[in-house]
Every structure is written in structure tokens, then in C-alpha cells.
Amino acid sequence: MERVIGIDLGTTNSCVAIVEESVPTVIPNRGGYKTTPSMVAITEAGKRLVGHIAKRQAITNAENTVHAAKRLIGRKWSSPQVKNAILTAAYKIVEGPHGDVRIHLRDKTYSVPEISAMVLQEMKLFAEDYLSEPISKAVITVPAYFNDNQRQATKDAGQIAGLDVIRIINEPTAAALAYGYGKTEEKTIAVFDLGGGTFDISVLEIGSGGVFRVIATAGDTFLGGEDFDARIIDWLVQGFKDQYGVDLRQDRMALQRLKDAAEKAKCELSSQNETEVNLPFIISSSRNEALHLQRTISRTTLEGLCEDLVERCIDICKQTLEDARLERDEIDDVVLVGGMTRMPKVQESVQDFFGRPPNKGVHPDEVVALGAAIQGAALIDDSKQMILLDVTPHALGIMTYGSNFEELIPQNTTVPTSRSKIFTTSRDNQTAVKILVMQGESQNAAENELLGEFILTGLRRAPKGQVEIEVTFEINSDGIVSVSARDLETGQQQSIQVTASSGLTKEEVGQMMEAAKEYLVDRRASDAFEGARQEAEKLITEIERMFPQVEHIVAASDFGRDAISKARTILDRVRQAIGKKDAAAVKEQMESLARTHRMFKGVVARPNG
Amino acid sequence: MDVGPRQKQAFFATQRVKNTRWYPFTRETGAGSPLLRHGPFQPGISGKLRAPDLSIMAPSSLRPPSLHDPPELLEEVDLDLERKRRIFDLYARLDDVSYYELLGVPEVSEKKVIKGAYYKLAPEFHPDSYFRKNLGTFKPKIEAIFTRLTLAHDVLTSRQRRAEYDSYLEQTLQNRSIADALSHADAEARAVVEQIEQTARAIAPAPLQAPVPSSRAPLSIDERRAILARKLAGGNIGRLGPRPKMESTPPPPPVQVNDSPEAKRAAAEALRVRFEAAKAEALRSRIATYRRNAEEAIVQNDYAKAANAYRVAAHLAPEDVELQNRCEEVQRLAASALAAGYLKQAAYEEREGRWAEASLSYTRAAEGRPDDAVAHERAANATVRAGGSARRAIEYARRAVELDPKNPECHITLARAFIAAGFAVSAIAELDRALAVGPLDAQHKATANELREQAHRLQKLG
């Protein structure tokens, strides 16, 4: 049976896990770390960097390093969130051909799913290295409050990365799966997930027999660690301006350094009461003097700066409990997920609100990936008795005459589900009706997210209000929305599967997939070359070290002179192959190189020389 | 209230406005018939409530599989026959079982038991248990079952919703039994006549040859009365079926005693007279019993029973005008009581957002209470919300306004119905009328403003 990996594609960090012999395990990356920064960079030489190495060079290559791509995924160019991101991001965000968002790095423009695919591809490689087998199936997590367009874009990213995304699941739900895995007692829990970019709260019931039922879920897709960082940056920038009259925002590199420093300070303030931000030579003044930023920030200051952010989280919790029709004391446990929940103020507020200390038994950075892996295993393996009953986080409906939003499936409805409603024509002799499928909570259709549209044609001619059309919405267990419309009198019926638009066409996804495959081939080849090069160079170094001694010992004999010149030829050939980056040629020479190495060693080791 | 053939047609028409799914199902509805839709647990076309008897069933809740396998079970899918049968069977009965029956729990179960039952059944009917398996037409069935299980769980685990559902369940049962009782009067009357004739026959065997009644005889005053009574009864009570053929007393033939065959005849005639007398006596006593029962039932507020008894009595004595009038009066009381029941049922459906069903129930209530402005107003409102026929909504709302022109709510609802029909100008005029009634309270004001905006938007678009 093919194995399924679980990937937590985070705003700032990503994590991959698998279930091995019933034990969910996090797969470490090549550096041995369990999480990998969700960062992608293109170097001056056009080389792609992902993860830690991308993060390490972010300051010097800020304009070509993408972080927090998740905040842009599946969003429209015109959305306020994108406008906001353009102001703060060091990389260049441009408009795509379908009103979507693209990112310009060096001389190429990438779609957001492509960037995310680079991270996913990396995670896939780690898993393949670790398991020594090819992997093609994955469960990927998204914030519970993601809409269908964002989910589809994430799915596209998986496809581009060469993954069959068998399911997209919600991050807090995944965390709950990992929390409840193997436990038998029945419980009602709340998962408080404050990550790098998004906030989610889910209330679940863990039932007997491996049933996980989500009761309610809510969140904010633009509230996370990044926003806390931004508050610190604002504070530092303002302070610097007050002191020197210089705006650090003008300098992208300075901004990137500030970003790093702010994140670091925030993390440090989780364990210390005070920390110093020290950025020498951050900018030069108008008189070309070097200016340094040096400021002390206390935990209290940080808490003051971010008070409203924490409050927003708690307000959403309140609303969610109301939606779930639960009292605070009916929650048996509160699980904290996401790096931001390390902040003492967040923990305190959660404890105050729920009236109980939060559970510390799960690892906030790894639990989501573990849950995704658990869900993957449960889907593929029939013997695993585990069922996840999730809900739809947003209401679904259609736009009716006068731009009103008519809700068909309310928020927090357990999926799969279906509902129908009857609508009538709004004009005399109307023969076609356009059905706009929307997602959101606003009464005004324009404020909701458009998922798709289709036209029901061939209605019989009749005065307005007389033709009755029944519209049925269905969400299946894969989260796919299908809508059908039927003329009640004639039985004429049309239906569509609403494929939420990720901003990419099918062809584009196909092309990007090909490009990613090609990259992978190159990447594999360069990995192979790198391995061979390192091995060869090690031998070359040793041979060269022994060369004078060997030459001295064997120079007397013809045979020796011959051997020396042969060794020289081999070294030259290997060096040439390395120079040409020809992995095959290097490997070809490896045996002769190794033989030479052995012979040299033998000569050197011979007693009395 | 009679559930005559016309009414059934109306049920049928509104039944389609139900909010679940259709049956791709040909066994019951006949091949090629339009797809039928049922509301959840709406006793309708096929629905007979099998109420509490199932509560003792095992948690599996499901009846033994049907004896013959419909061809649908032959479909090649990744499911074994047993499972296919189970899915098929439950799917077919989904609308006929109560939430309790669906989950296989007694009606007195604690929340924990209900949850347990749901958690046990949910994995079996959750599509994820059959991930990437070929389920063919069973997939939508499984999903429909799962959806209903979830609804049952959601309702029964919320204290408030469960209480509401319980009283709703009781109310629907009651409404049904009233409606049933009312519609069974005919059959009961026939049965009574049959019974009486049998009794009379036992006393005096009926003559071998029925004498020829003089059909051309002018109508007696009694007969005229009977026809009048029938006409009166025919109004909104609903018409009784064809009267069972009763041998009404024919004019006595001339008595001749001379002849021996004449004597035989006379003997037969005497027998016949005795038969008729016995029958008339039995009839009289039966009518008296029914009247007594009816009056007793009225004392006990059981109008359905009373109406039923009176109908049988009136049927047995069509010439008794006083009885006919009383019968009519009680029928109205019963209809009103039933309407009250429907109002309760509708209120629950309205709270649950099951507008299509609420619309149906309010409509029935309005029919039972033709002078009740609120019932009409609610019927119109629910019809609009359900996305039902805007014309019908307008009719009801108009009637509501007519009945209670001082109530701003009636005007607002009429405006809402106009908007649903796309008549922006009429809607605005109606909102003005609502304002003219007097100052509106905050909620009405907000609604009126919102509707006005909608109407203006409509106007712009139109």
C-alpha cells in the first residue's frame, strides 16, 4: 500500500510527517530540523533556494526572497489583504493575467501556488530521503478559515509539486486528530491555533470509536505572528525616525534586517522579560554617517503593542463557543497550536477565557503535520477506524436579484451535506438564468467570495415569477461543491462542479507541473553531482597531499614514473569532469581515482621507503 | 377538515417544495414519473408515521432487508450485497422514519446514548469509510443518509431543539390523526350502515325480492330537506362520498289479502316491514350514540372525534337539518383546532428554518382559519422565505392585509412578497402603507428599510 505523507504548509514554517507502523512521526529535513522555513529565494546565479538556506540569505537578497506566500495564496489582486502585503513585502508583487497575484523574482514571474509548490517539493524530497521510497500522495493542511479559492490554490500547489493531494484538511482539526489519536475517552476540546499568518479556533468532540466531530470553527486568515512582528517593526521604525529623522522603510535591506530582528526579539520575549535589538550600520544618514539601531524592548511593551491582536483572538473564541452552543466549562481541554502560542500573554488570555490552563502535551509546531499524516493513513488504510466529521467554515449560497446573498448551506454544517431552495425568474419571458455561487457570511453578495457561475438556459417563456427553479447545493466529503439547477415544470436540469478558482487555469497548472518536474530532474542530477564531487575532491586532496612523498619514493623506477604520470592524468580528468559539472564523468573516474589513492597509500605506508 | 382528492393534489404540489433531495427511485413512483421530493419526516404521499413501535429496535435501527432485491442492487460497486441492501433500504425509508428511529434509540434516550448511536452509525455512512472506492449510485445515497443522521444527531442532542422536535413530532402525529379521522368519516358511515343492515337481517331476513319503489313519485318534504342538508353540508366542510344505498322506506304497496300468492306476498311484505323497522330502530339508536359521543368529545375538547362522530351521524340521517347544522358547526371547530395544530407545527418549522414545510403548514392553518390574519401573514412570509410561488405569497399576504389592515407586519410581508415577485413599485407603495398605519417599532422599521433598499435596487436593475 502506498504511503501518504502529511504536510503542514505553514506561513512561516512547514513540517512533514508520516505514520510508521501506527506511530505518527515527524520527518526531519536534511539539516536535522523538524520544521523548515517556508521561504523560497532565487540567487543571483539563478539558483533556487528553499528553507533554511533561503532564510539565511534573506537579508542580502531581500528582493528575491519570498516569505509568507501563504498570505497571498488564492487571493485576488484587488483584495485588501494583497494591497496590504504589497506595502510590507520586500519582494515584488504583481498582477497576474486572471486578476490573481504573481511574484516577480529576478527576471521571472511566478504564481503563488508555484512558490508554495517549491516548498512542498522540498518537503516531499525530505520524506523520500527519509523513507527511501518515492512518495506521491499527501494530505495538506490549510487554515480552517480558508475559503474554497484558497483551498484550491493549495491543491494546485500540491499538484505542481507532483503530489496527489488526497485531501485538504483544516489545521486545527489536524491538531485535534494528533491530540486524540489513540485516546479512548470522550472529550470536547478547543484547538487554539495561532500560527505565523493565520488564526483558527475549532471546537471538536472526540467520540468513542475514533470519531472526531468538529462542532464549530472560525478564524481570521490575516492574523498571526507576522502581525505581531509588524507591530514591533512599526515601533522600531517610529522610534528610529523620532531619533534620527530617517525612515528605515525606504531601505529594503534595512527592512529585512528589522524583520529578522523583530521576530527574534518576539521569540526571546517569550522566555525573557527584556531583550535588546541591536542592528549596527542599519542605514546611513543624509550626511553619509552610519546609523545604528539599538533599543531595548520589554515584554510589557510587546504586550502593549499587540494587545488588540490577542483580544481579536479571544473575541473569535467567544463567537465560536456561541456558534457551538457550548459554555466555557463544557470544554474539557484546550490545545495550543502554532508558534505564536508560546507567547505568555497569549497563554494567559486563553487560560483566562477558558478558565483552565491550556494543554501542553502537544508540540505546537509539529502537531498539525502529524494530524495530516494520521488522516492520510486513515483514508488509505481500511483497517484504521477513524472518521473525521468536519464542517464547512463558510456559508454557501447564490446571488439573487438585486445583489442579495441567499444562503443555502450555513456555516458550520457537517459535510457531506446538501440543501435546496426554489427560486423564480425575475423578468417576463426570461429564458436563461445565471447562477452565481458564492461563499461568505455577508447579506450583500458583493462582499462575499465568488466561487463560480453557470447559466441555466432553455427556460420556458412565462411571466416573471412563474418559472420555478430549484437550486441544489452539495458539498461532498472531498469538499467539492456541486450545484445543480432544475426547472421544476420541465425538469430541465443543469449542474456544475464548482471548482473554486485558484487564479490559475488548468493549462497553467499543467505547464507549471512540467517545469517543476524538470527542475526536479535538474535538482536530482545536481544532487548526484554534488555527492560525487565531494567524494572525488576528498580523494584528490589526499592524493595531492601524498604526491611529493610518493614521487620521491618511486621516481627511481620507470614503473614508478609511469605510475606518477598516470595518476596525474587521472587527477586532471576528474578535475575536468568536476569543472563541467558532469556527474557521470566524475563517477566514471571514481574507480581509477580510488585505485590511485589505494596505491599511494600503499607506497607511503611501505616501511623503509 | 377533509382531505379530499383536491386537497391531496395541493399537498402533492407543495410537497415538491421540500428541502432535501430527490429519489432517483422508480419502484415507488413508477418509471418515468417526475422525481419526487420529500421533506424530512413529512408524513405525505407515502408517509405513514410508524411511531413508537420502532423504539424498541436494536441500535442497528434498520428493518430486516426487503425480501426481493431490486435491480439497483446489481450495480457493480465496491460494496458487498449486505451493505448495498442496508444502504438501499435505509435510503428508501429515510423520510418515513423519525430521528429516533433513524438513530435506533428509544425516544426517552439520554443525550449520551444518542451521541453513542450517532458515533456508531456515522462511520458506516460516511463516504470517507469508502475512500476512493467505486460506489456508483450508492455514493449519493450514503451521503444523503449521512446528512440525515447528522441532522437527527444535531437536533436530538440540543435540549431546546429536541424539545421542539418532540412536540413537533407529537403535533404532526396529532394533526395527522385528526386529518385522518376527518377523512375516515365516510368509510365509517358506510361501515355503520353495513353493520346495521346485517343486524336487521338477523332480526328479520330481508325479502328475497326488493319491491320496486315508485321512482316517479314527487319528492317528499323529507327528501327535499335531505337534499338541502346535503347542499349545506357540501360547503367548506367537504362533500361526503356517494351515500351508501339504503333501502329507504318505499310507499307501501296496496295490500291484498285474498289470493294465496297474495297472502304469501303479504307475509313477505310483513317481513320486510319488520326488517325496515328493525333497521330504522338500529339507525336511530346509532345516531343517538354518535351524537352522544360527539357531545362528550366536545366536552373533552376532542374536536376531531366530535366532528367525526357528527359526520357519521349526519350521514346516517341526511334529512335531519338540525343535525346537519350542528355537524357543520363542529366541523368548523375541528378545522380550527387542526389549524391551531398546524400553526404550532409551522412555528417549529419556521424556527428550524425549514421554510418550505412551514409554508405548507401555515397554508393549511390559513385554510382552516379563513379569517385569521396572522395565519395568512405567516403563510405568505414562509412561502417567500421558502422561495415558493410568489403569486401564492401575494395572495395570502393580500388576504392578511384585508383581514387586519392596521397591522404593519401584514403590509411588510406583502411588500416582501412583491419584491420576491419582482414588483418593485407595488412593494414600495405597500411599505408606505405600512408606515401610514402608525409609527413602526425598531425591528419593523429596520425590516421595512431593508426591503425598501431591495426594492430600489430591484427598480434600478429592472
Side-chain angles (χ1 to χ4, degrees):
Chain A
M1 189 168 23
E2 200 184 340
R3 302 217 263 176
V4 185
I5 52 172
I7 302 176
D8 170 10
L9 179 62
T11 307
T12 43
N13 288 296
S14 294
C15 182
V16 57
I18 190 139
V19 176
E20 276 188 301
E21 282 156 17
S22 290
V23 182
T25 319
V26 172
I27 297 173
N29 64 22
R30 285 177 184 166
Y33 297 102
K34 290 189 170 177
T35 61
T36 303
S38 308
M39 287 178 116
V40 171
I42 306 291
T43 63
E44 210 169 350
K47 195 168 180 234
R48 183 193 298 177
L49 305 175
V50 180
H52 285 107
I53 45 171
K55 189 171 185 176
R56 275 199 286 272
Q57 55 84 65
I59 290 175
T60 52
N61 187 23
E63 290 179 29
N64 300 296
T65 305
V66 185
H67 63 92
K70 192 177 179 179
R71 294 201 130 184
L72 301 173
I73 202 162
R75 291 197 191 268
K76 296 204 169 65
W77 170 253
S78 55
S79 69
Q81 288 88 348
V82 171
K83 294 271 169 290
N84 183 25
I86 293 169
L87 290 178
T88 55
Y91 50 90
K92 210 163 153 196
I93 301 171
V94 296
E95 187 175 359
H98 321 293
D100 60 328
V101 180
R102 303 274 162 125
I103 293 167
H104 196 80
L105 300 175
R106 297 283 170 200
D107 50 1
K108 230 188 125 189
T109 305
Y110 300 88
S111 69
V112 183
E114 255 179 310
I115 300 285
S116 293
M118 294 174 192
V119 178
L120 290 173
Q121 207 167 28
E122 200 71 10
M123 306 312 285
K124 178 176 175 246
L125 285 176
F126 296 154
E128 287 174 342
D129 280 359
Y130 179 85
L131 298 165
S132 319
E133 66 181 50
I135 289 287
S136 68
K137 289 188 165 61
V139 171
I140 302 178
T141 62
V142 295
Y145 221 52
F146 255 22
N147 64 33
D148 277 20
N149 291 339
Q150 291 168 303
R151 284 165 203 266
Q152 186 57 45
T154 306
K155 242 183 169 170
D156 284 355
Q159 201 188 337
I160 294 167
L163 286 166
D164 168 12
V165 182
I166 67 168
R167 183 64 55 88
I168 293 279
I169 66 169
N170 297 328
E171 284 155 13
T173 314
L177 291 181
Y179 165 88
Y181 184 75
K183 289 199 176 82
T184 49
E185 71 239 82
E186 294 181 18
K187 264 186 179 178
T188 305
I189 65 164
V191 179
F192 184 101
D193 179 358
L194 187 56
T198 57
F199 170 67
D200 278 327
I201 167 85
S202 285
V203 179
L204 294 102
E205 206 167 59
I206 303 174
S208 50
V211 179
F212 290 76
R213 187 174 74 92
V214 181
I215 302 171
T217 196
D220 187 330
T221 48
F222 235 80
L223 171 57
E226 294 264 322
D227 300 288
F228 288 72
D229 296 352
R231 293 293 165 87
I232 302 176
I233 295 169
D234 284 351
W235 183 78
L236 292 172
V237 167
Q238 193 55 48
F240 196 83
K241 209 171 178 182
D242 292 348
Q243 199 177 348
Y244 299 105
V246 176
D247 187 2
L248 289 173
R249 288 195 190 281
Q250 301 309 314
D251 185 331
R252 293 210 162 194
M253 189 150 136
L255 208 56
Q256 187 61 45
R257 283 178 74 189
L258 271 172
K259 204 170 222 119
D260 271 11
E263 191 190 338
K264 198 166 141 258
K266 178 188 73 182
C267 293
E268 282 170 3
L269 288 176
S270 288
S271 51
Q272 290 157 230
N273 278 322
E274 227 180 58
T275 186
E276 198 182 1
V277 180
N278 200 346
L279 297 169
F281 302 101
I282 187 142
I283 207 163
S284 356
S285 72
S286 48
R287 276 169 289 152
N288 253 354
E289 281 174 298
L291 296 177
H292 318 297
L293 187 150
Q294 191 171 22
R295 268 192 106 178
T296 303
I297 180 167
S298 71
R299 188 184 282 179
T300 326
T301 311
L302 173 66
E303 287 171 1
L305 290 172
C306 303
E307 204 176 353
D308 61 311
L309 296 177
V310 180
E311 249 168 48
R312 249 162 82 196
C313 296
I314 298 296
D315 283 348
I316 297 172
C317 289
K318 218 176 276 172
Q319 185 57 48
T320 310
L321 278 192
E322 266 171 43
D323 292 348
R325 298 183 199 204
L326 285 173
E327 296 298 324
R328 290 171 207 190
D329 59 8
E330 286 177 87
I331 303 289
D332 298 318
D333 212 349
V334 182
V335 180
L336 295 182
V337 182
M340 266 317 295
T341 59
R342 289 199 179 86
M343 184 171 173
K345 178 72 189 166
V346 171
Q347 295 185 356
E348 243 169 66
S349 304
V350 170
Q351 178 161 353
D352 283 353
F353 177 74
F354 287 100
R356 63 171 60 247
N359 180 296
K360 299 225 165 118
V362 299
H363 195 298
D365 299 330
E366 298 168 10
V367 66
V368 171
L370 290 172
I374 291 168
Q375 172 70 355
L379 287 176
I380 288 288
D381 186 350
D382 289 342
S383 66
K384 289 231 164 35
Q385 276 298 313
M386 193 212 82
I387 282 287
L388 171 60
L389 310 177
D390 215 336
V391 299
T392 166
H394 295 283
L396 266 178
I398 67 174
M399 185 170 107
T400 57
Y401 203 47
S403 184
N404 291 310
F405 177 68
E406 193 69 39
E407 182 182 290
L408 272 117
I409 296 182
Q411 211 179 348
N412 289 328
T413 303
T414 305
V415 288
T417 187
S418 72
R419 303 279 163 99
S420 28
K421 224 174 205 177
I422 308 220
F423 297 90
T424 58
T425 48
S426 53
R427 283 169 203 229
D428 292 339
N429 295 324
Q430 183 175 350
T431 54
V433 59
K434 190 172 182 182
I435 303 210
L436 294 161
V437 183
M438 322 202 79
Q439 189 170 46
E441 280 70 49
S442 172
Q443 277 287 304
N444 182 358
E447 286 169 25
N448 293 325
E449 188 87 11
L450 177 71
L451 291 187
E453 55 181 74
F454 70 108
I455 294 173
L456 180 71
T457 52
L459 301 179
R460 74 208 142 79
R461 290 179 178 276
K464 63 181 161 192
Q466 288 204 4
V467 179
E468 296 188 324
I469 302 148
E470 180 184 62
V471 178
T472 304
F473 263 54
E474 222 179 273
I475 307 180
N476 74 8
S477 44
D478 294 312
I480 291 165
V481 178
S482 40
V483 184
S484 60
R486 192 163 64 101
D487 181 339
L488 281 179
E489 180 109 354
T490 61
Q492 162 113 1
Q493 186 165 349
Q494 268 162 45
S495 62
I496 54 151
Q497 263 194 6
V498 183
T499 19
S501 83
S502 63
L504 295 179
T505 63
K506 250 197 188 121
E507 292 72 37
E508 281 175 315
V509 172
Q511 283 160 15
M512 289 170 188
M513 221 172 113
E514 284 308 309
K517 246 190 224 158
E518 271 169 38
Y519 168 79
L520 201 63
V521 172
D522 288 354
R523 161 80 187 265
R524 286 243 164 82
S526 82
D527 277 1
F529 168 74
E530 195 57 28
R533 183 189 66 86
Q534 279 178 14
E535 212 178 318
E537 281 190 346
K538 197 174 122 205
L539 292 179
I540 292 173
T541 318
E542 280 187 34
I543 291 169
E544 280 186 336
R545 185 174 51 77
M546 292 183 282
F547 222 100
Q549 203 181 344
V550 173
E551 207 168 16
H552 175 73
I553 294 167
V554 300
S557 66
D558 281 351
F559 167 76
R561 274 194 295 279
D562 194 29
I564 290 288
S565 83
K566 257 190 192 158
R568 282 222 168 85
T569 321
I570 290 167
L571 285 184
D572 280 350
R573 273 195 205 141
V574 176
R575 282 206 188 93
Q576 260 174 26
I578 290 173
K580 281 192 215 147
K581 300 205 167 189
D582 188 342
V586 175
K587 275 192 182 143
E588 227 176 76
Q589 298 298 325
M590 276 309 278
E591 207 177 309
S592 340
L593 196 64
R595 211 184 308 121
T596 311
H597 181 250
R598 271 199 305 278
M599 186 197 78
F600 271 38
K601 257 184 141 173
V603 172
V604 172
R606 200 153 45 192
N608 67 19
Chain B
M1 206 162 86
D2 190 6
V3 188
R6 237 183 102 213
Q7 202 105 37
K8 269 187 188 141
Q9 194 59 46
F11 280 5
F12 189 84
T14 20
Q15 274 290 351
R16 299 190 309 176
V17 193
K18 289 289 128 127
N19 62 347
T20 36
R21 81 228 128 66
W22 51 74
Y23 275 37
F25 206 68
T26 50
R27 204 158 46 122
E28 284 182 4
T29 60
S33 71
L35 301 170
L36 289 183
R37 337 192 82 236
H38 297 234
F41 190 49
Q42 179 66 39
I45 308 157
S46 65
K48 265 264 180 345
L49 274 178
R50 284 174 225 134
D53 65 313
L54 286 171
S55 56
I56 44 158
M57 281 183 8
S60 61
S61 93
L62 309 172
R63 290 275 179 84
S66 44
L67 288 178
H68 71 287
D69 288 344
E72 283 89 338
L73 292 185
L74 294 176
E75 190 179 331
E76 292 267 343
V77 292
D78 298 339
L79 293 168
D80 59 35
L81 185 63
E82 199 47 46
R83 180 135 304 191
K84 281 199 263 187
R85 210 178 264 152
R86 198 167 140 76
I87 292 166
F88 194 80
D89 186 52
L90 186 54
Y91 179 73
R93 300 185 308 110
L94 216 47
D95 289 321
D96 298 342
V97 294
S98 76
Y99 295 161
Y100 293 102
E101 291 156 16
L102 187 65
L103 292 173
V105 294
E107 291 190 20
V108 291
S109 301
E110 280 178 43
K111 192 168 161 180
K112 222 176 154 183
V113 175
I114 290 164
K115 274 195 184 302
Y118 175 66
Y119 287 152
K120 215 165 165 190
L121 284 168
E124 188 182 346
F125 295 102
H126 194 286
D128 274 0
S129 296
Y130 312 96
F131 187 71
R132 293 206 173 165
K133 297 246 159 70
N134 171 25
L135 298 180
T137 62
F138 284 86
K139 189 164 191 211
K141 290 191 179 78
I142 289 173
E143 288 181 350
I145 294 171
F146 176 77
T147 305
R148 191 62 63 84
L149 281 170
T150 303
L151 180 65
H153 163 270
D154 290 353
V155 168
L156 298 186
T157 52
S158 149
R159 196 180 307 156
Q160 193 196 343
R161 290 179 77 186
R162 181 173 178 183
E164 287 165 5
Y165 179 74
D166 283 348
S167 60
Y168 163 75
L169 206 58
E170 203 180 313
Q171 193 64 57
T172 32
L173 260 173
Q174 213 175 316
N175 289 351
R176 264 192 64 77
S177 69
I178 295 177
D180 269 1
L182 293 183
S183 67
H184 285 154
D186 274 7
E188 194 173 343
R190 263 194 297 277
V192 168
V193 170
E194 178 68 22
Q195 209 185 341
I196 288 171
E197 287 198 352
Q198 266 175 17
T199 323
R201 217 168 275 140
I203 298 167
L208 295 169
Q209 267 180 313
V212 188
S214 73
S215 55
R216 314 248 184 271
L219 290 174
S220 71
I221 188 128
D222 277 357
E223 276 167 322
R224 270 189 224 158
R225 270 183 164 181
I227 288 166
L228 180 68
R230 241 175 280 145
K231 267 190 193 156
L232 282 172
N236 64 4
I237 299 176
R239 222 172 318 119
L240 290 172
R243 255 182 356 128
K245 267 197 190 142
M246 272 206 309
E247 325 263 302
S248 64
T249 327
V255 180
Q256 293 164 323
V257 276
N258 302 348
D259 226 277
S260 106
E262 291 298 309
K264 257 189 207 163
R265 227 191 200 167
E269 184 55 29
L271 201 63
R272 198 183 64 81
V273 169
R274 259 172 63 202
F275 169 74
E276 289 298 337
K279 209 174 86 174
E281 179 51 38
L283 207 54
R284 255 196 305 281
S285 104
R286 270 311 180 83
I287 291 168
T289 314
Y290 273 107
R291 286 190 78 146
R292 206 170 45 243
N293 289 347
E295 291 301 327
E296 274 169 18
I298 289 173
V299 173
Q300 286 160 7
N301 278 333
D302 190 346
Y303 292 104
K305 195 175 162 198
N308 205 22
Y310 259 120
R311 281 179 65 129
V312 177
H315 197 60
L316 296 177
E319 52 292 301
D320 186 339
V321 176
E322 184 263 326
L323 180 65
Q324 299 292 342
N325 289 344
R326 179 71 181 143
C327 173
E328 216 173 305
E329 197 182 317
V330 174
Q331 298 277 334
R332 265 198 300 274
L333 285 174
S336 175
L338 182 56
Y342 278 130
L343 279 178
K344 275 190 205 160
Q345 184 178 338
Y348 174 80
E349 289 155 349
E350 183 176 338
R351 271 201 305 278
E352 287 290 287
R354 285 147 64 174
W355 290 105
E357 287 160 286
S359 156
L360 180 60
S361 300
Y362 275 128
T363 308
R364 285 177 181 165
E367 277 163 15
R369 289 182 165 181
D371 299 327
D372 186 336
V374 174
H376 282 81
E377 184 272 323
R378 288 285 90 190
N381 184 52
T383 307
V384 173
R385 300 285 179 137
S389 156
R391 271 173 307 148
R392 220 163 34 229
I394 291 175
E395 274 167 35
Y396 280 113
R398 276 218 172 106
R399 176 78 184 136
V401 168
E402 209 175 293
L403 290 167
D404 189 0
K406 291 253 175 289
N407 186 348
E409 187 125 35
C410 296
H411 292 285
I412 289 175
T413 298
L414 181 53
R416 197 192 292 282
F418 278 138
I419 289 174
F423 304 144
V425 179
S426 304
I428 292 169
E430 204 53 45
L431 289 169
D432 290 341
R433 253 167 249 144
L435 279 171
V437 168
L440 301 179
D441 65 24
Q443 204 195 333
H444 283 149
K445 203 179 259 171
T447 318
N449 286 340
E450 198 183 299
L451 288 175
R452 198 178 290 273
E453 256 174 53
Q454 279 187 26
H456 283 307
R457 266 208 295 263
L458 205 71
Q459 226 170 358
K460 252 183 250 160
L461 287 172

